[in-house]
Amino acid sequence: MIEIKPYDPSYHLQWDEFVGASRNGTFLFYRKYMEYHSDRFHDGSLIALRDDKIVALLPANRDGQSLYSHQGLTYGGWIVPLKHFDVTVMMELWDAATLWLKAQGVTTVYYKPVPHIYHRYPCEEDLYALFRHQAVLTESNISTTIQLDDPLPFDRGNKSGMNVARKAGVRLQESEDWAGYWQVLDDVLTERHGTHPVHSLEEIELLHDRFPQNIKLYTATMPTTYDCSQCKIVAGVVMFYTRTVAHSQYIASSQLGREVKALPLLFDALIKGAQEAGYKYFDFGISNENHGRYLNEGLVQQKSRMGGRGIVYNTFKIEL
């Protein structure tokens, strides 16, 4: 029989070890990542055990009578092992979890499966179990992704833009100037969308310090002095690196950066770097707002012109 238990800190080491060896886990599920915003979410993570050994993990938070595949994470779902776990175990797992959650007063589960591009090995048993439990799709966000073993080329406009950037003297580098870039990012988001970055500067610096190999900042700069001794950030991208995916987010370009076409040159370097490093996919991130109901057509077209094509990040609802 599978036993369901709520996560508690005594399982911290076992949790992280299981995520690291799992079929579909990423560094976002390590406790040091999940708990950086513990003040905003009431943790409701679950541990499934058989004979006192972990069978699966569910990163989650609790809000009233609802359990969420963690709202502070881009994706979630049951994290499962590479071996000795098939769809029959997944069905047994869902049955056990459903009974336990009902006994805890949970009436609704919102579930975000890990998109297939993040899988170490095929891992969609949970999608079948969702069907069997009459799950309803409540949110679908479209992301734009490059398959790096056979990437599509940039279109003519982006190739031309790269030449403009080179002639303008745009320089590319990995950067530790998080404060400088966050100011550029915040200015762009405020001016164009009336918003601010989801992560504060302090939060993104904390996460970078905790996961320096997974979270990196790359910037495009322009010299501000004749001898090029000082440079100004004109564009940038924050990269999240998992086992299979190089995922970009917090993409921004200042007015000068847009004029000199800095982003195509920066993305060309990042895509080639990910390809050389052996990643399977380069993911530009979603182009939606309002829980997937609004599509930013200009943004998704911009990404597709760099060779990306669509994958979805879905959310399902299960009434218990």
Side-chain angles (χ1 to χ4, degrees), residues 7-252:
Y7 170 81
D8 71 68
S10 67
Y11 280 99
H12 185 137
L13 181 60
Q14 293 179 66
W15 177 288
D16 284 357
E17 288 178 346
F18 189 90
V19 169
S22 69
R23 205 183 336 159
N24 59 338
T26 72
F27 77 94
L28 273 67
F29 303 135
Y30 288 134
R31 298 308 305 190
K32 284 198 302 183
Y33 190 98
M34 289 181 58
E35 293 170 4
Y36 85 90
H37 46 27
S38 58
D39 58 318
R40 280 179 276 169
F41 300 99
H42 176 68
D43 191 85
S45 300
L46 303 181
I47 299 175
L49 302 133
R50 194 197 302 274
D51 298 326
D52 293 324
K53 293 182 179 179
I54 296 178
V55 174
L57 304 172
L58 182 65
N61 67 282
R62 176 85 180 260
D63 186 1
Q65 293 179 302
S66 297
L67 186 80
Y68 293 85
S69 255
H70 207 293
Q71 290 174 292
L73 303 177
T74 308
Y75 46 80
W78 284 107
I79 310 306
V80 303
L82 184 64
K83 298 180 179 180
H84 311 300
F85 191 104
D86 59 21
V87 72
T88 63
V89 182
M90 179 61 77
M91 293 298 296
E92 183 183 356
L93 171 61
W94 268 106
D95 290 342
T98 296
L99 289 173
W100 187 88
L101 289 168
K102 285 181 178 180
Q104 303 302 312
V106 174
T107 59
T108 309
V109 175
Y110 294 90
Y111 185 90
K112 297 185 292 191
V114 179
H116 74 273
I117 59 174
Y118 295 94
H119 295 174
R120 178 182 176 188
Y121 203 77
C123 193
E124 295 187 348
E125 290 88 351
D126 58 345
L127 300 184
Y128 176 73
L130 288 172
F131 163 72
R132 290 285 298 272
H133 282 266
Q134 290 84 49
V136 176
L137 180 66
T138 59
E139 182 173 341
S140 187
N141 292 288
I142 188 77
S143 188
T144 309
T145 306
I146 296 171
Q147 185 173 311
L148 290 174
D149 65 357
D150 189 21
L152 297 174
F154 279 22
D155 72 351
R156 185 179 301 175
N158 278 299
K159 289 179 180 178
S160 175
M162 289 166 58
N163 289 329
V164 171
R166 292 189 186 102
K167 291 178 181 178
V170 172
R171 299 179 175 188
L172 310 177
Q173 60 275 309
E174 183 179 347
S175 175
E176 290 294 327
D177 187 8
W178 291 91
Y181 179 62
W182 234 241
Q183 186 62 60
V184 173
L185 175 66
D186 191 66
D187 289 346
V188 171
L189 290 176
T190 300
E191 174 190 348
R192 307 191 79 184
H193 305 287
T195 60
H196 300 281
V198 174
H199 291 98
S200 68
L201 172 61
E202 293 74 19
E203 287 174 336
I204 196 66
E205 287 182 324
L206 172 66
L207 290 173
H208 169 65
D209 288 343
R210 290 181 176 181
F211 301 97
Q213 299 307 310
N214 300 103
I215 301 175
K216 299 183 179 184
L217 169 63
Y218 295 89
T219 58
T221 61
M222 293 280 290
T224 57
T225 57
Y226 179 76
D227 61 359
C228 300
S229 60
Q230 295 183 11
C231 291
K232 178 181 182 179
I233 297 174
V234 297
V237 178
V238 176
M239 295 298 301
F240 276 37
Y241 293 103
T242 64
R243 184 184 282 123
T244 59
V245 179
H247 173 82
S248 66
Q249 55 188 55
Y250 289 130
I251 304 161

